[in-house]
Each structure stands twice: as structure tokens, then as C-alpha cells.
Amino acid sequence: MKTALKIFAFTILVSAFYSYVGQWVPQKETYPPETVELSADMTTEELVAAGQEIVAGKGTCLGCHTIGQEGGALRFPDLGNIGAVAGTRREGYSDVEYLAESLYEPNVFIVEGFNPGMPAVHRPPIGLTDQEILAVIAYLQSLGGTPTVTLATELRWQGQAPATPAAPATPSPGGAEAMDGPALVQAYLCNTCHSFDAPTPGAGPSLYDVGRRLSKAEIYEAIMEPDAVVAEGYAPGVMGATLNATGFYDRITSAQLKTLVDYLASLQGG
């Protein structure tokens, strides 16, 4: 009898928790970063200003990089003087080529003392266009150097990015609720920043054994309020900005969130 009462009480608590989740998720207000307007006749100064806005907004760069704060706690190199040193980092590379490769293929060359894990900015969840990347390069050149790129500059990496900012892909309504945990991880691009099959960290912490480290309530909080508790070695703001940029909070339903939390809680490592 006592066992039955405990099971009943536990069922009520779990039901109450997910009922609360179901009421909260649709009311979550989010404000995705605004798209910066670019035009072919922009001056260098205007392109630099646009790049600075993208770095601080849609690019979510400041979640992992500092600018002019050597020795900071963030995961990737400080960018304070990158315009002056970019041309010396890779033999045979100009500053523009180095910066372009660092954005399109960031894990090809890793600055000594740092780990791989930065996502390619032309792919989801960031999804910068080729023009936006040129604006970012112009801004990075201005940090200790002289901007030379224009929107007419051609890079060998171009053509991989979307021609225009793409709207986040939404799972089809008919099958969205039936998706299992791994399918939701793919649909919402969680595996872009997190590893699930190994303890190796990426742009975000590994979730290989998250179910052993966090309770379901803590996992839920980490998703819905990512700045409430930030993993050691990571900067506040980057996960929330990324989820906002991909429209995650607008798209996920309470049923999907329950499935995702349950799946993450099942990941025990090993």
C-alpha cells in the first residue's frame, strides 16, 4: 500500500511539473537578432560598422570571444588586435584569407592554447550570408589593422552560405510531436554545439552524461533559462543568444520539450 501511494505521489509531481512546462513554454517572449541591411554601395566605414553589429548580434561572436581583454575567461581567442596579426598566423595566408577560413572552416587551424569547437558561421545555428561574413571580416580587419574588403571581394569559400538569411526550419506539424529525443536534437540543431556520444566539449558542454549530472528540473532550467547556471569555462549569454537566433523558443512545443528533457535525462555516459 505504501509503495502504491509513493508511486501515485510521484506521478502527481511529474504531471504537475510538465503541466507547468506546458503553460510556460508558449508564453516565452524572445527577440531574435535583427538582420543588418547591406548594400553594394556601402563605404568601408559603413561595412565595418555593419560587421561590428553582426559580431555583437546575429553572429553571437561575443559569447565566446573577448575584444581587447587578453587573458579573459572566454573559450576562444581575444580579438582585440586580430587585424594586425591575422596575416601572420598561417604561412602563405593573407589576413583576409586567414579571417575567412576562421569563419567558414574554424577548426582547420586552432590557435595554440585553445580547443576546437567553434561552429562554422555560415551554417546553422548562426547562418551568416557571404555578404555578412565580408562585413565581419572588414570589422575584424579594423581591430588593429586596415580594412580592405568590400562587398565585391571574392573568397574561395563563398557559395556555401545562404544567399539571404534563412528562416529557421520548422519540423512538419504532422510528425513534430511524434519525434523522439535524437530526432529533436537533429531538428533543433543541438548537436551543432554539443557532443552526445563522447565527453569531448564543443562550442557548448558535452551532454554525453548530462542525465547523470543533472536532474530533469535542472535540464529543463538549462534549456529555458540558460544563464541561470553556466557551466565552468563557458560564457553567459551565448546559448540564449543562439537559441533565440534559431527561433528555438518560438518553435518548440511543450510535448517536444518534455521528450527532449526525458531524452537528455537518459544520457548517462559510458
Side-chain angles (χ1 to χ4, degrees):
M1 184 65 178
K2 288 183 178 180
T3 300
L5 286 173
K6 289 180 180 179
I7 293 173
F8 177 74
F10 177 75
T11 302
I12 293 297
L13 286 172
V14 171
S15 298
F17 171 72
Y18 283 116
S19 175
Y20 172 67
V21 169
Q23 293 177 18
W24 192 10
V25 173
Q27 298 171 10
K28 182 77 175 179
E29 267 193 297
T30 57
Y31 301 91
E34 295 182 3
T35 299
V36 177
E37 296 295 330
L38 301 173
S39 59
D41 60 350
M42 294 180 78
T43 65
T44 300
E45 292 76 14
E46 290 172 335
L47 193 61
V48 168
Q52 182 175 14
E53 190 173 344
I54 293 167
V55 163
K58 181 180 177 182
T60 68
C61 309
L62 301 185
C64 292
H65 294 277
T66 52
I67 297 180
Q69 298 178 38
E70 293 287 357
L74 300 190
R75 298 194 64 242
F76 299 127
D78 179 82
L79 301 176
N81 199 39
I82 188 63
V85 301
T88 66
R89 286 268 175 87
R90 292 263 276 163
E91 186 176 353
Y93 275 57
S94 68
D95 60 337
V96 175
E97 291 170 327
Y98 172 77
L99 293 170
E101 183 183 74
S102 296
L103 295 168
Y104 284 99
E105 300 178 355
N107 296 306
V108 170
F109 175 82
I110 307 299
V111 175
E112 186 177 356
F114 292 88
N115 295 317
M118 174 179 160
V121 302
H122 65 290
R123 297 193 183 105
I126 299 173
L128 297 187
T129 67
D130 288 330
Q131 286 193 324
E132 289 170 332
I133 290 172
L134 284 171
V136 169
I137 291 174
Y139 171 62
L140 295 177
Q141 283 186 299
S142 77
L143 300 176
T146 302
T148 59
V149 301
T150 68
L151 290 180
T153 300
E154 295 184 0
L155 306 170
R156 60 186 174 92
W157 295 270
Q158 289 173 337
Q160 305 176 50
T164 56
T170 303
S172 59
E177 301 301 335
M179 285 184 173
D180 61 9
L184 289 170
V185 163
Q186 293 284 337
Y188 288 109
L189 307 171
C190 310
N191 55 339
T192 302
C193 296
H194 299 279
S195 59
F196 289 80
D197 56 1
T200 308
S206 171
L207 300 180
Y208 173 67
D209 61 347
V210 65
R212 195 170 62 198
R213 296 183 282 107
L214 301 178
S215 67
K216 285 187 179 182
E218 289 170 327
I219 292 172
Y220 171 79
E221 181 183 58
I223 296 171
M224 299 306 295
E225 297 290 341
D227 286 337
V229 178
V230 180
E232 184 178 357
Y234 292 87
V238 64
M239 179 174 171
T242 302
L243 292 178
N244 281 328
T246 59
F248 173 84
Y249 294 119
D250 293 326
R251 295 161 51 204
I252 195 162
T253 67
S254 57
Q256 290 175 344
L257 183 59
K258 178 184 183 302
T259 299
L260 184 58
V261 170
D262 287 344
Y263 169 65
L264 293 174
S266 75
L267 300 179
Q268 302 291 312

